[in-house]
Amino acid sequence: MTVAVDIWTDINCPFCYLGKRRFELALAEFAHRDEITVVHRSFELDPTIPAGTSGTVEEHIAHKYGIPVEQAQANERGIAAQAAEIDLPYQASGRDYGNSFDMHRLLHLAAAHGKQDVMLDGLYAGNFADPTPVFGDRERLVAIAVSAGLDESEVRSTLDDPEAYADDVRRDEQQARELGVTGVPFFVFGGKYAVSGAQPTETFARALQLAWEERPVTIVGDQDAAACGPDGCAVPSPS
């Protein structure tokens, strides 16, 4: 029996980038890692940003929190130092910030093809590790999706249709509201244990263990006893 881990993230969020790596480090050491299923859920930090626009991260942070641009720049350098501790490349200056709705739609397209994780890694790398702006550039977004293994024509048709996978994004965001999620990353282990933020790897390891130990169903007795399934009923042989 597998344990599901649902992770709400946004591509704008540097701590989602760090949190994913810290979670993966914990998962790599987890004894039952092959029985953990991971689903990335959509969360927009600022859905009011007009689609197709782009601005610098430092100016956005300075305006949002009412701090000097120099302080925002220092904050970015601090995040870069944290990323370096877990071997993640991070551009401490020159990154952009924008509307992530289309990115989330493409993540749902990728999920339909079993490529969601690699697509998210591509988006994170494009935003945090590459100095070239990733927001407001459709062709760059298409290139990232194709590099993740998606079909270019399907990517373009998805971007051309504003309603393609839009309901999936909104459904994730509604679920986040119902859970009371106000910031990301936000992890839910086995539908029971929640971890908020880019916690230390040890915290994720503990959450994995707790969720595993308290799986909802424990089979008692002989798993090969007589039972009925989709193909009919197995009749036990006479003793």
Side-chain angles (χ1 to χ4, degrees):
M1 181 175 295
T2 61
V3 171
V5 179
D6 295 278
I7 309 173
W8 278 264
T9 61
D10 188 30
I11 296 83
N12 280 300
C13 169
F15 293 110
C16 294
Y17 180 49
L18 272 62
K20 184 176 188 293
R21 171 59 64 87
R22 291 173 181 168
F23 165 74
E24 289 172 342
L25 290 172
L27 183 61
E29 298 298 321
F30 187 57
H32 307 285
R33 58 186 173 275
D34 293 335
E35 296 168 271
I36 302 296
T37 60
V38 178
V39 179
H40 298 285
R41 304 287 184 186
S42 302
F43 189 100
E44 296 171 90
L45 286 173
D46 190 349
T48 66
I49 299 174
T53 62
S54 177
T56 67
V57 167
E58 294 92 341
E59 290 179 352
H60 174 82
I61 292 174
H63 175 74
K64 182 175 182 178
Y65 295 104
I67 61 176
V69 171
E70 293 76 13
Q71 185 176 340
Q73 293 169 338
N75 291 345
E76 282 293 290
R77 291 193 295 271
I79 297 172
Q82 292 185 51
E85 292 175 356
I86 49 176
D87 297 322
L88 279 179
Y90 191 94
Q91 291 287 327
S93 63
R95 293 193 305 105
D96 64 338
Y97 188 99
N99 186 289
S100 58
F101 192 74
D102 282 348
M103 294 177 175
H104 286 295
R105 293 198 299 121
L106 288 182
L107 281 168
H108 279 282
L109 169 65
H113 293 284
K115 299 180 184 298
Q116 188 186 49
D117 194 71
V118 68
M119 178 66 185
L120 183 57
D121 282 341
L123 290 170
Y124 279 155
N127 187 29
F128 297 109
D130 192 321
T132 306
V134 71
F135 292 94
D137 187 340
R138 174 187 166 113
E139 291 307 308
R140 182 127 192 270
L141 191 53
V142 170
I144 290 172
V146 171
S147 295
L150 298 182
D151 177 74
E152 182 175 346
S153 62
E154 190 172 12
V155 171
R156 292 187 181 278
S157 65
T158 298
L159 291 174
D160 286 339
D161 179 3
E163 290 306 311
Y165 297 99
D167 285 344
D168 298 273
V169 176
R170 297 181 185 117
R171 193 175 301 114
D172 283 351
E173 294 178 333
Q174 176 60 34
Q175 189 175 359
R177 286 191 290 271
E178 291 171 357
L179 289 171
V181 179
T182 58
V184 286
F186 192 86
F187 302 74
V188 176
F189 294 77
K192 182 178 291 188
Y193 294 98
V195 174
S196 180
Q199 297 281 349
T201 298
E202 295 76 16
T203 300
F204 292 119
R206 178 59 177 157
L208 284 166
Q209 188 62 39
L210 285 170
W212 179 261
E213 291 173 352
E214 298 188 20
R215 285 166 293 164
V217 177
T218 300
I219 298 175
V220 178
D222 185 3
Q223 295 187 39
D224 297 322
C228 294
D231 299 323
C233 300
V235 180
S237 300
S239 55

